[in-house]
Structures are given as C-alpha cells and as structure tokens.
Amino acid sequence: MNKTIAIDGPSASGKSSVSKGVAAALGFIYVDSGALYRGITWQALRKGVDVHDAAAVIACMENTDWDFFVQDGAATFSVDGNVPVQELRKKDVRENVSFVAVIPEVRTFVVDSLRALEHFGSLVMEGRDIGTKVFPDSPYKFYLDADPEERAMRRYRELVAAGENEKAEEVMESLKKRDKIDSTRKTDPLTVAPGAQVIDSTSMTLDDVIQTVVDAVKE
Ligand code: ADP
Ligand code: CDP
C-alpha cells in the first residue's frame, strides 16, 4: 500500500533537505509543495500580474497549462511547457510567494493538485499544511522546527553558496516576515497538525533528523 509522509514547518527548518533524504532512504517520491506556490508566483510575475490583485492572479493561474510528472524521484510540473527550477528560488519569487499563497483559490488549486499526486506512488511531501489540510489522515506527520536565528543562518549560508549577494540581517528580516504571514493567514495557517511528531533540529544534524523520520515510518 502506498504511504504519504507529511513534513511541515517554517522556512529553513530543513523540510526540503530532510524530505529528500527520507525519500531517497525509503524509495518514495519527493514532493515540494512550496514549489507550486512559487510556480504560480513566478508565472504571475513574468506575466506582469500584480500579486496583490487576487482576481488577476487567479485568472493568470487558470489560463496557464499545468502538467505534473515524476522525474529523478521527484514530482515536478511544467508551466505552459516551461520547467522553472532555479527561477523559483530567486528573490522576486521569494518575496512575493507568501502573498500569492494566501489567496484561497490558489490554495484550493494547489491542494487538489497535490492530492492527485498520490497515484504516482508513495510520497514524502513537504510544506506548511500537508499534515493539517492536504493529507490530515496520514499516520506519518512531522513538524520540523528550529530557532529563527539558526534558520536565518541556514538560509543565508545557502544563498551565499548559490552566489546571491544578500545580507544576513536582510535574510533574517525576510524570514521573520514570511513566518508571520504564514502563521497568521486566515486559510490553513502554519501550525502543528494533530498527531504530528515535532522535531526541533536547532542542534541536530541533518542525518539525525532524516533517521528520526525514517525510523518512525518503519516502526
Ligand atoms: P526548508 O525546506 O524548510 O526551507 P531546507 O531543507 O532548504 O529548509 O534547509 C535550509 C538549509 O539548512 C539547507 O542548506 C540545509 O542543508 C540546512 N539544514 C537543514 N537541516 C539542517 C540541520 N538539521 N542542521 C544543519 N543544517 C541544516
Ligand atoms: O523553502 P521555504 O520553506 O522557504 O519555502 P517553500 O516551502 O518553497 O514555500 C514558499 C511559500 O509558499 C511559503 O512561505 C508559504 O507562504 C507557501 N506555502 C504554503 O502556503 N503552503 C505549503 N504547503 C507550501 C508553501
């Protein structure tokens, strides 16, 4: 029987790295739900749509051709035939995605698209509302967390390694802003799902966190 592992948590808590590691260890398909919110944001920005104009964002999303497939062990998608990857991590997308993600119609489209991925096989899905909203009945729910300072430093180091010219204080500010928007929005705010195992990784290694999840799923 297929299994779906839900991994939620705030920005830079380790969701992507942990989910990829768990998917590789168990042979499951890795799903980055945030990528879809980023993809909708990327499409809106490149079409010149104001991300604060919900009706315009919804129209843009509905007029786009979205196609989902599995490649190299990960679920991915095309946007009118393009497969954006690096583009989704850029500053303009990063700074606007939380506004797009508050639009209820956007969330409905993403949630439906994510649920439909189950037909591809067992999944490790990371996001903000996977355990609370997308797959609330999954017996495998995890909430990753770490101190904001540690999370900001992780994101900063990652951006520097990617050659982005960012200041540590600005990364901290941007992370705090996103934490606030994500945890206070009306629709599906970021919160610990009932029954989720909370893992605080502030002083854990990545491998320890992956092993903790793998062990819990194998039990
Ligand atoms: P998220 O998907 O929650 O935004 P990421 O998986 O992208 O977080 O992690 C952000 C950065 O922090 C990555 O560079 C990752 O390697 C690093 N990282 C993740 N978990 C840990 C950990 N437990 N200890 C140290 N660094 C970590
Ligand atoms: O990697 P990081 O945690 O910084 O971001 P992400 O997972 O790519 O998600 C980007 C944004 O999409 C988040 O700040 C949320 O606003 C939104 N998101 C969401 O609302 N629900 C999800 N399941 C996943 C992401």
Side-chain angles (χ1 to χ4, degrees):
M1 238 229 348
N2 284 344
K3 290 178 179 172
T4 295
I5 303 175
I7 302 201
D8 292 302
S11 197
S13 57
K15 300 181 300 295
S16 310
S17 339
V18 170
S19 302
K20 283 179 192 160
V22 170
L26 297 173
F28 288 14
I29 298 162
Y30 163 66
V31 189
D32 174 4
S33 68
L36 195 44
Y37 290 100
R38 287 172 183 264
I40 296 165
T41 307
W42 176 72
Q43 177 74 338
L45 292 173
R46 81 186 180 120
K47 295 285 178 188
V49 168
D50 174 3
V51 296
H52 299 283
D53 180 346
V57 173
I58 295 163
C60 171
M61 179 181 80
E62 288 175 347
N63 289 325
T64 299
D65 187 25
W66 304 93
D67 189 32
F68 296 85
F69 55 98
V70 175
Q71 195 172 42
D72 300 329
T76 184
F77 58 88
S78 61
V79 186
D80 281 343
N82 305 283
V83 182
V85 179
Q86 283 313 107
E87 294 87 337
L88 302 185
R89 310 304 303 180
K90 297 273 180 211
K91 192 173 181 179
D92 56 345
V93 172
R94 197 167 67 237
E95 292 190 338
N96 287 294
V97 62
S98 292
F99 302 118
V100 169
V102 297
I103 303 172
E105 289 83 350
V106 167
R107 301 202 68 80
T108 301
F109 169 77
V110 173
V111 169
D112 289 348
S113 305
L114 295 172
R115 287 183 180 149
L117 296 175
E118 272 197 310
H119 80 269
F120 285 120
S122 288
L123 310 174
V124 184
M125 189 176 289
E126 56 133 322
R128 301 287 193 292
D129 61 346
I130 310 306
T132 51
K133 170 85 183 188
V134 186
F135 293 111
D137 297 333
S138 167
Y140 312 109
K141 295 189 271 198
F142 300 87
Y143 185 93
L144 303 189
D145 208 351
D147 291 346
E149 292 74 19
E150 167 65 17
R151 292 190 285 115
M153 275 320 288
R154 288 178 187 174
R155 184 61 16 106
Y156 173 68
R157 283 193 293 265
E158 203 176 44
L159 291 168
V160 169
E164 298 253 353
N165 186 19
E166 299 262 0
K167 292 200 180 71
E169 308 83 69
E170 283 176 14
V171 175
M172 180 79 210
E173 270 320 297
S174 156
L175 184 123
K176 278 190 177 160
K177 244 188 243 167
R178 292 212 0 232
D179 276 3
K180 184 150 191 237
I181 299 173
D182 290 344
S183 56
T184 57
R185 70 171 171 234
K186 287 199 188 79
T187 317
D188 308 324
L190 172 66
T191 170
V192 180
Q197 180 176 338
V198 179
I199 304 175
D200 186 326
S201 72
T202 307
S203 42
M204 283 171 86
T205 67
L206 190 51
D207 284 346
D208 286 342
V209 183
I210 293 170
Q211 201 54 50
T212 304
V213 175
V214 168
D215 289 347
V217 173
K218 278 187 171 166
E219 256 171 26

